[in-house]
Amino acid sequence: MKDIIVLSIETSCDETSVAIVKNGREIISNKIYSQIDIHNEFGGVVPEVASRKHLEVINIVIDEALKEGNINLKDIDVISATYGPGLIGALLVGLQYAKGLSYALNKDFIGVNHIEGHISSCFLEHKDLVPPFISLVVSGGHTMIFNVKDYGVYEKIGETRDDAIGEVFDKIARKLNLSYPGGPNIEKLAKFGDEDKIKFPKSRFEEDTLDFSYSGLKSSVLNYINTNNLKNIEISKEDVCASFQKTAVSMLIENVEKAFKLYGGDKLSIVGGVSSNNYLKERFKNHFKNVKVYTPSKVLCTDNGAMIASAAYYSYLKNGGSEYSLNVSPNIKF
Ligand code: KG4
Ligand code: ZN
């Protein structure tokens, strides 16, 4: 079969990323321009600033990706971009750019769901990972479990009913005056803390659901910090981080364990920004002895164009390209 080379643009949040990927599995280049330093000043992503910055750098990132891959635009077969979920203005920059490029070059265009991108991120480094498998998506905006039956065939079997796990890492970090994004900073401090020091409650639903709730855990950690602050009692940030992280990860493990009981299988992929957390990876690997656990390397855990290109490839093989009438879908559900 002829090789298919996909160029992908990801601009759903605060990273402008352009990647070129061969046959859905081989990264030719993956350039990421992160806006973290800009948003850090505000303690979180400012949507208007994000779209302006995407617009400013997208041409440069495209050029860099082509240069790094030593490839010409004429050698690209398909142009793709994330169409949702994400920030509306930010998504528009990448999607419209991709449509324009595809039209100008007379190449097929395809829109990709960002979550499908995260699920596909493991295909780029783990050639032995093929469906079926269970996938846990843990990011700043999502906490979901999927039964991946085939490429592009996903059954959502669990999701958060309120906050996403990454969002809670970020909110707690902010309360502790740690910089954005909070996840990596919480992980760093947690290493020096006692994870059994503070008992934060796990949220629970009915026995037969794989859904999550993180707002209860978030509130109890914030209450602990506020109450001690009011009483002028000094807290150990390290113990708070370690105890919170332990509870947050235990909740994930419990539901993934239920997923394997219900759906069987022996492969698990954990993807999304929070999957770069080493404590989380260790806990899962120690807990699931008969399951092979796949995680992407750090650069593919957080938002990147390569994962979008991988998802685009499998979707293109099955269904061909998208229409130009495809619009951004900031709140699209899976
Ligand atoms: O996948 P991602 O880049 O963006 C979304 O699609 O949301 O994920 C970003 C999230 C942030 O909430 C960030 O705090 C979290 O991933 N994160 C981490 C770690 N690294 C990034 N959370 C916990 N531990 C980490 N080491
Ligand atoms: Zn993401």
Side-chain angles (χ1 to χ4, degrees):
M1 202 171 72
K2 183 192 168 296
D3 288 337
I4 296 182
I5 298 179
V6 178
L7 180 148
S8 264
I9 305 174
E10 154 63 40
T11 60
S12 67
C13 190
D14 58 348
E15 260 103 24
T16 318
S17 180
V18 178
I20 301 166
V21 171
K22 188 162 128 187
N23 299 331
R25 296 262 178 178
E26 197 186 311
I27 298 178
I28 295 175
S29 64
N30 186 29
K31 296 302 281 185
I32 303 170
Y33 170 81
S34 172
Q35 305 176 359
I36 281 178
D37 290 345
I38 300 164
H39 298 290
N40 204 349
E41 260 180 66
F42 305 98
V45 179
V46 184
E48 181 58 27
V49 175
S51 13
R52 279 166 196 249
K53 203 68 204 173
H54 285 312
L55 206 53
E56 214 176 291
V57 302
I58 186 135
N59 269 319
I60 302 167
V61 186
I62 297 254
D63 282 348
E64 283 180 354
L66 291 166
K67 207 184 280 166
E68 184 180 273
N70 201 14
I71 197 166
N72 282 313
L73 275 175
K74 68 172 176 36
D75 301 317
I76 306 288
D77 299 297
V78 181
I79 312 281
S80 75
T82 308
Y83 73 95
L87 303 170
I88 185 166
L91 286 165
L92 271 168
V93 176
L95 191 74
Q96 298 303 75
Y97 197 106
K99 284 186 205 172
L101 202 56
S102 126
Y103 186 76
L105 297 169
N106 197 21
K107 310 272 181 181
D108 280 335
F109 151 76
I110 183 161
V112 172
N113 182 307
H114 182 79
I115 314 286
E116 199 171 346
H118 275 301
I119 297 172
S120 307
S121 62
C122 266
F123 293 144
L124 296 155
E125 292 164 320
H126 303 289
K127 310 295 175 214
D128 62 322
L129 178 64
V130 289
F133 57 89
I134 299 286
S135 189
L136 173 66
V137 181
V138 276
S139 72
H142 306 278
T143 314
M144 294 172 154
I145 309 178
F146 290 93
N147 179 19
V148 182
K149 297 176 172 176
D150 195 355
Y151 293 108
V153 184
Y154 316 98
E155 181 188 0
K156 185 173 70 186
I157 54 178
E159 70 180 324
T160 182
R161 293 190 188 174
D162 41 57
D163 296 347
I165 183 168
E167 188 186 341
V168 174
F169 267 88
D170 294 337
K171 291 210 169 120
I172 291 170
R174 195 171 172 175
K175 188 82 200 163
L176 293 170
N177 293 321
L178 305 173
S179 61
Y180 172 84
N185 294 319
I186 294 211
E187 181 182 4
K188 263 183 229 149
L189 279 192
K191 278 193 197 123
F192 304 101
D194 176 355
E195 64 176 27
D196 296 313
K197 190 75 180 207
I198 313 159
K199 293 273 172 278
F200 292 124
K202 283 188 233 160
S203 311
R204 282 183 203 284
F205 290 126
E206 316 80 59
E207 204 32 54
D208 61 347
T209 179
L210 301 183
D211 282 352
F212 301 96
S213 165
Y214 275 97
S215 75
L217 175 60
K218 177 187 72 183
S219 300
S220 62
V221 177
L222 297 180
N223 279 343
Y224 175 88
I225 301 168
N226 285 336
T227 311
N228 282 291
N229 282 351
L230 280 174
K231 293 182 187 161
N232 276 329
I233 300 171
E234 200 178 325
I235 57 163
S236 155
K237 284 187 184 181
E238 290 81 0
D239 289 346
V240 172
C241 290
S243 303
F244 155 69
Q245 187 175 253
K246 180 187 178 183
T247 313
V249 170
S250 300
M251 282 161 63
L252 296 176
I253 289 178
E254 280 176 20
N255 281 14
V256 170
E257 183 156 42
K258 275 198 222 167
F260 276 104
K261 277 197 187 122
L262 287 167
Y263 297 89
D266 56 5
K267 283 175 284 178
L268 168 69
S269 80
I270 314 175
V271 297
V274 184
S275 70
S276 65
N277 184 298
N278 287 313
Y279 169 85
L280 178 150
K281 287 192 259 194
E282 279 307 303
R283 286 277 310 273
F284 268 87
K285 282 181 183 156
N286 289 335
H287 188 90
F288 292 97
K289 296 285 184 215
N290 300 317
V291 167
K292 185 159 182 198
V293 180
Y294 297 84
T295 51
S297 60
K298 217 177 175 68
V299 69
L300 297 177
C301 286
T302 43
D303 294 346
N304 64 87
M307 69 185 196
I308 303 301
S310 178
Y313 170 80
Y314 288 107
S315 176
Y316 184 76
L317 282 191
K318 245 186 191 140
N319 309 311
S322 309
E323 299 291 331
Y324 284 136
S325 55
L326 177 77
N327 206 347
V328 293
S329 263
N331 302 312
I332 192 170
K333 296 265 180 251
F334 219 91

